[in-house]
Structures are given as structure tokens and as C-alpha cells.
Amino acid sequence: AGLMAGLFLSEGSSHEACLACNGDMKLLEMCAEAAEKVLGSKPAIYAPTKKKVGVVSFNSGFAEKYLGLGLGLAGRSRTKGIPDYIFNSNQEMIMGLIDGHYLGDGHKTSEYIELTTVSKRLADGLMLSLKRSGSRFVLKEYNKKGSGVVYAVRIFDYKGRAVSIERDYGKDIRHL
């Protein structure tokens, strides 16, 4: 559940009934598998093309009811945030959320992993989650042409598994 929430917060839109929008088919398949396990409904997968990113999608009624209203994950990119109930959940859920966000909007260097978002509220929630896990991090703000402010949470010693997750999206992720 945490992985799916993290992927949705980084890549999805309840407004467009989209659980994830990404150009990587393996990531889309993993997201659809997690969604089916957590929500009990199989989403459609639309493969990426040269002109469009791929999409994992539910019908709009299901997306609004479960993702937006039921799970509290509604919002546009700049207004998304982590719902309060996730902060009160177990460490596995929080680690899954961080890992999911990393897979959607993160990258790794030799010194840190970085989670990016255009939502200050989401960046604050990510930092609160990381503080709970005992990780060291800093917040950087960038002005990106056409996007406005981008918040980057740099994590130096994440206690979860995101640091070891490579961009091959292997099935070894235990949060599914």
C-alpha cells in the first residue's frame, strides 16, 4: 500500500483517473500490480509511445472514490500531500511510500538519493516521514523554467531500501 501511495503521489492524478503516468513500461506494470493487490480492481495499462507517456488508469468514478476521497490522495501536482493516516501507520508503510516516490520522481547519486516534487506540502510530508525513520536530509529549492519552484529532498542515509533500488524496477521490492 505504501509503494502504491508513493507512486501515485509522484506520478498520478485522481482528476484524470490516472494512477501513474510514466515512460517506463516496467514501472507501469509494477504500479498496476500493486494497485490490483491493494484496491482489488485491475487498472488498464496504456503503453508509452513516441508521442505520449504510458498510463495506468482506472475509470474516473473509481479513481475519485478510492484514490481521491477514500485514500486522501487527491490533488493536482502543486497541492498533493501525504494524508495524515500514513504518518500514523507502521514503518513499512512509510518506507514503501518513500520507495514509491523514489521510483516515480527520484534519482540516486553516489552521495544521496533525491526525491523531487512541485508541491511544498508533499515535500514537507516526505521530510516528516524521513525524520521518523531517522534519516539525514536537506531540502533544496530550484526554479525550473516552465515549472516554477521544484522541491528536492536530498537523503544522505535513508534507512529504507530506496537507496538499493535501481531503475530496473526488479520484483525484489518487498512492498508489493
Side-chain angles (χ1 to χ4, degrees), residues 22-47:
N22 195 285
D24 190 301
M25 193 63 188
K26 287 181 184 178
L27 176 63
L28 296 172
E29 289 169 349
M30 185 176 66
C31 183
E33 182 182 326
E36 186 173 8
K37 285 182 179 179
V38 172
L39 301 173
S41 180
K42 186 172 182 151
I45 302 175
Y46 300 95

Short mmCIF file of all heavy atoms in Angstrom, two decimals, residues 22-47:
data_model
loop_
_atom_site.label_atom_id
_atom_site.label_comp_id
_atom_site.label_asym_id
_atom_site.label_seq_id
_atom_site.Cartn_x
_atom_site.Cartn_y
_atom_site.Cartn_z
N ASN A 22 4.01 7.55 -16.90
CA ASN A 22 5.45 7.40 -16.97
C ASN A 22 5.82 6.76 -18.30
O ASN A 22 5.01 6.06 -18.89
CB ASN A 22 5.93 6.53 -15.79
CG ASN A 22 7.40 6.60 -15.57
OD1 ASN A 22 8.18 6.02 -16.31
ND2 ASN A 22 7.81 7.32 -14.53
N GLY A 23 7.04 6.95 -18.73
CA GLY A 23 7.51 6.37 -19.99
C GLY A 23 8.10 4.98 -19.85
O GLY A 23 8.48 4.36 -20.83
N ASP A 24 8.18 4.45 -18.63
CA ASP A 24 8.79 3.16 -18.39
C ASP A 24 7.73 2.08 -18.19
O ASP A 24 7.01 2.07 -17.20
CB ASP A 24 9.70 3.25 -17.16
CG ASP A 24 10.55 2.00 -17.00
OD1 ASP A 24 9.98 0.90 -16.87
OD2 ASP A 24 11.78 2.14 -16.98
N MET A 25 7.65 1.15 -19.13
CA MET A 25 6.61 0.11 -19.09
C MET A 25 6.74 -0.78 -17.86
O MET A 25 5.74 -1.18 -17.27
CB MET A 25 6.67 -0.72 -20.38
CG MET A 25 5.47 -1.59 -20.57
SD MET A 25 3.96 -0.61 -20.73
CE MET A 25 2.76 -1.90 -20.68
N LYS A 26 7.97 -1.10 -17.44
CA LYS A 26 8.15 -1.95 -16.25
C LYS A 26 7.58 -1.27 -15.01
O LYS A 26 6.94 -1.91 -14.17
CB LYS A 26 9.63 -2.27 -16.03
CG LYS A 26 10.19 -3.25 -17.01
CD LYS A 26 11.65 -3.54 -16.69
CE LYS A 26 12.26 -4.46 -17.71
NZ LYS A 26 13.68 -4.70 -17.44
N LEU A 27 7.80 0.03 -14.88
CA LEU A 27 7.25 0.77 -13.74
C LEU A 27 5.73 0.77 -13.79
O LEU A 27 5.07 0.58 -12.78
CB LEU A 27 7.77 2.20 -13.72
CG LEU A 27 7.19 3.09 -12.62
CD1 LEU A 27 7.55 2.57 -11.24
CD2 LEU A 27 7.66 4.52 -12.79
N LEU A 28 5.16 0.96 -14.98
CA LEU A 28 3.70 0.97 -15.12
C LEU A 28 3.11 -0.39 -14.74
O LEU A 28 2.09 -0.47 -14.05
CB LEU A 28 3.30 1.35 -16.54
CG LEU A 28 3.67 2.76 -16.98
CD1 LEU A 28 3.40 2.94 -18.48
CD2 LEU A 28 2.94 3.80 -16.17
N GLU A 29 3.75 -1.47 -15.16
CA GLU A 29 3.26 -2.82 -14.82
C GLU A 29 3.34 -3.07 -13.31
O GLU A 29 2.42 -3.63 -12.73
CB GLU A 29 4.06 -3.87 -15.58
CG GLU A 29 3.75 -3.89 -17.06
CD GLU A 29 4.72 -4.74 -17.87
OE1 GLU A 29 5.78 -5.17 -17.34
OE2 GLU A 29 4.42 -4.96 -19.06
N MET A 30 4.44 -2.63 -12.69
CA MET A 30 4.58 -2.80 -11.25
C MET A 30 3.51 -2.00 -10.51
O MET A 30 2.91 -2.47 -9.55
CB MET A 30 5.97 -2.36 -10.80
CG MET A 30 6.22 -2.62 -9.33
SD MET A 30 7.90 -2.22 -8.83
CE MET A 30 7.92 -0.46 -9.05
N CYS A 31 3.25 -0.80 -10.97
CA CYS A 31 2.24 0.05 -10.36
C CYS A 31 0.85 -0.59 -10.49
O CYS A 31 0.07 -0.60 -9.53
CB CYS A 31 2.27 1.42 -11.04
SG CYS A 31 1.12 2.60 -10.34
N ALA A 32 0.54 -1.12 -11.65
CA ALA A 32 -0.76 -1.78 -11.85
C ALA A 32 -0.91 -3.00 -10.95
O ALA A 32 -1.98 -3.24 -10.37
CB ALA A 32 -0.92 -2.17 -13.32
N GLU A 33 0.16 -3.77 -10.80
CA GLU A 33 0.14 -4.95 -9.93
C GLU A 33 -0.10 -4.55 -8.47
O GLU A 33 -0.92 -5.15 -7.77
CB GLU A 33 1.47 -5.70 -10.06
CG GLU A 33 1.55 -6.96 -9.24
CD GLU A 33 2.92 -7.63 -9.37
OE1 GLU A 33 3.53 -7.57 -10.46
OE2 GLU A 33 3.38 -8.19 -8.36
N ALA A 34 0.59 -3.51 -8.02
CA ALA A 34 0.40 -3.04 -6.65
C ALA A 34 -1.02 -2.52 -6.45
O ALA A 34 -1.66 -2.80 -5.44
CB ALA A 34 1.41 -1.93 -6.32
N ALA A 35 -1.54 -1.80 -7.42
CA ALA A 35 -2.90 -1.25 -7.32
C ALA A 35 -3.94 -2.36 -7.23
O ALA A 35 -4.88 -2.28 -6.43
CB ALA A 35 -3.20 -0.35 -8.52
N GLU A 36 -3.76 -3.39 -8.03
CA GLU A 36 -4.72 -4.51 -8.00
C GLU A 36 -4.70 -5.21 -6.65
O GLU A 36 -5.75 -5.55 -6.10
CB GLU A 36 -4.42 -5.49 -9.13
CG GLU A 36 -5.46 -6.58 -9.25
CD GLU A 36 -5.25 -7.46 -10.46
OE1 GLU A 36 -4.22 -7.34 -11.15
OE2 GLU A 36 -6.14 -8.30 -10.71
N LYS A 37 -3.51 -5.40 -6.07
CA LYS A 37 -3.41 -6.04 -4.76
C LYS A 37 -4.04 -5.20 -3.66
O LYS A 37 -4.71 -5.71 -2.78
CB LYS A 37 -1.95 -6.33 -4.42
CG LYS A 37 -1.37 -7.49 -5.16
CD LYS A 37 0.05 -7.76 -4.75
CE LYS A 37 0.61 -8.94 -5.49
NZ LYS A 37 2.00 -9.21 -5.13
N VAL A 38 -3.80 -3.90 -3.71
CA VAL A 38 -4.28 -3.02 -2.65
C VAL A 38 -5.75 -2.68 -2.81
O VAL A 38 -6.51 -2.68 -1.84
CB VAL A 38 -3.43 -1.72 -2.60
CG1 VAL A 38 -4.02 -0.71 -1.64
CG2 VAL A 38 -2.00 -2.04 -2.22
N LEU A 39 -6.17 -2.37 -4.03
CA LEU A 39 -7.53 -1.88 -4.25
C LEU A 39 -8.51 -2.95 -4.73
O LEU A 39 -9.71 -2.72 -4.74
CB LEU A 39 -7.51 -0.72 -5.27
CG LEU A 39 -6.66 0.48 -4.85
CD1 LEU A 39 -6.56 1.48 -6.00
CD2 LEU A 39 -7.22 1.13 -3.61
N GLY A 40 -7.98 -4.09 -5.17
CA GLY A 40 -8.87 -5.17 -5.61
C GLY A 40 -9.52 -4.92 -6.95
O GLY A 40 -10.49 -5.58 -7.31
N SER A 41 -9.01 -4.00 -7.72
CA SER A 41 -9.55 -3.70 -9.04
C SER A 41 -8.38 -3.57 -10.01
O SER A 41 -7.38 -2.91 -9.69
CB SER A 41 -10.35 -2.40 -9.00
OG SER A 41 -10.87 -2.11 -10.27
N LYS A 42 -8.51 -4.20 -11.17
CA LYS A 42 -7.40 -4.19 -12.12
C LYS A 42 -7.49 -2.94 -13.01
O LYS A 42 -8.48 -2.73 -13.70
CB LYS A 42 -7.45 -5.44 -12.99
CG LYS A 42 -6.27 -5.58 -13.89
CD LYS A 42 -6.26 -6.91 -14.59
CE LYS A 42 -5.01 -6.98 -15.44
NZ LYS A 42 -4.56 -8.33 -15.60
N PRO A 43 -6.45 -2.12 -12.99
CA PRO A 43 -6.44 -0.94 -13.85
C PRO A 43 -6.02 -1.29 -15.27
O PRO A 43 -5.42 -2.34 -15.51
CB PRO A 43 -5.39 -0.04 -13.19
CG PRO A 43 -4.44 -0.99 -12.55
CD PRO A 43 -5.28 -2.17 -12.12
N ALA A 44 -6.32 -0.40 -16.19
CA ALA A 44 -5.87 -0.56 -17.57
C ALA A 44 -4.46 0.03 -17.68
O ALA A 44 -4.13 0.98 -17.00
CB ALA A 44 -6.81 0.18 -18.52
N ILE A 45 -3.65 -0.58 -18.55
CA ILE A 45 -2.31 -0.06 -18.82
C ILE A 45 -2.25 0.34 -20.28
O ILE A 45 -2.56 -0.45 -21.17
CB ILE A 45 -1.22 -1.11 -18.54
CG1 ILE A 45 -1.27 -1.60 -17.10
CG2 ILE A 45 0.16 -0.54 -18.87
CD1 ILE A 45 -0.30 -2.73 -16.80
N TYR A 46 -1.88 1.59 -20.52
CA TYR A 46 -1.70 2.10 -21.87
C TYR A 46 -0.20 2.32 -22.07
O TYR A 46 0.41 3.13 -21.37
CB TYR A 46 -2.48 3.40 -22.08
CG TYR A 46 -3.96 3.21 -21.86
CD1 TYR A 46 -4.53 3.49 -20.61
CD2 TYR A 46 -4.77 2.69 -22.86
CE1 TYR A 46 -5.88 3.29 -20.39
CE2 TYR A 46 -6.13 2.49 -22.64
CZ TYR A 46 -6.68 2.79 -21.41
OH TYR A 46 -8.02 2.58 -21.19
N ALA A 47 0.38 1.58 -22.99
CA ALA A 47 1.83 1.61 -23.19
C ALA A 47 2.29 2.97 -23.71
O ALA A 47 1.57 3.64 -24.44
CB ALA A 47 2.23 0.51 -24.17
#
